[in-house]
């Protein structure tokens, strides 16, 4: 869990200091994936399924947010 926490800090650093918008979008996606990994590991540690459900919700939100941000960067329009 400590290594995943360090990965989250590194992704947060890239999110804040990213030189370009695509770098920041990629850092946000990496941050959501590492948050999912952290929740799954924590759920395994506590042996409770609640954290797995939270990880699924974060996975869905992370995927949708990445698609929306990439579409906005490419077209400058979200709704077609």
């Amino acid at each position: 869990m400590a290594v995943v926490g360090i990965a989250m800090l590194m992704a947060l650093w890239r999110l804040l200091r990213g030189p370009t918008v695509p770098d920041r979008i990629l850092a946000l996606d990496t941050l959501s994936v590492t948050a999912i990994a952290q929740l799954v590991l924590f759920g395994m540690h506590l042996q409770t399924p609640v954290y797995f459900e939270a990880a699924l919700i974060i996975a869905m939100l992370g995927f949708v947010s990445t698609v929306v941000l990439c579409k906005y960067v490419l077209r400058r329009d979200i709704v077609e």
Side-chain angles (χ1 to χ4, degrees):
M1 287 177 58
V3 173
V4 176
I6 292 170
M8 288 178 76
L9 288 175
M10 291 169 53
L12 183 65
W13 174 258
R14 180 50 59 190
L15 180 65
L16 298 174
R17 292 280 297 181
T20 63
V21 175
D23 285 335
R24 291 181 178 180
I25 292 172
L26 185 61
L28 184 65
D29 189 44
T30 304
L31 191 61
S32 70
V33 169
T34 53
I36 293 165
Q38 191 78 312
L39 278 173
V40 168
L41 287 172
F42 193 63
M44 288 170 57
H45 176 69
L46 294 180
Q47 297 178 350
T48 179
V50 174
Y51 294 101
F52 299 116
E53 294 170 3
L56 283 173
I57 292 171
I58 290 176
M60 289 186 292
L61 290 175
F63 174 74
V64 170
S65 67
T66 301
V67 169
V68 167
L69 285 172
C70 290
K71 190 173 180 180
Y72 179 74
V73 166
L74 288 175
R75 298 184 188 165
R76 298 288 180 209
D77 186 26
I78 295 173
V79 179
E80 292 185 59

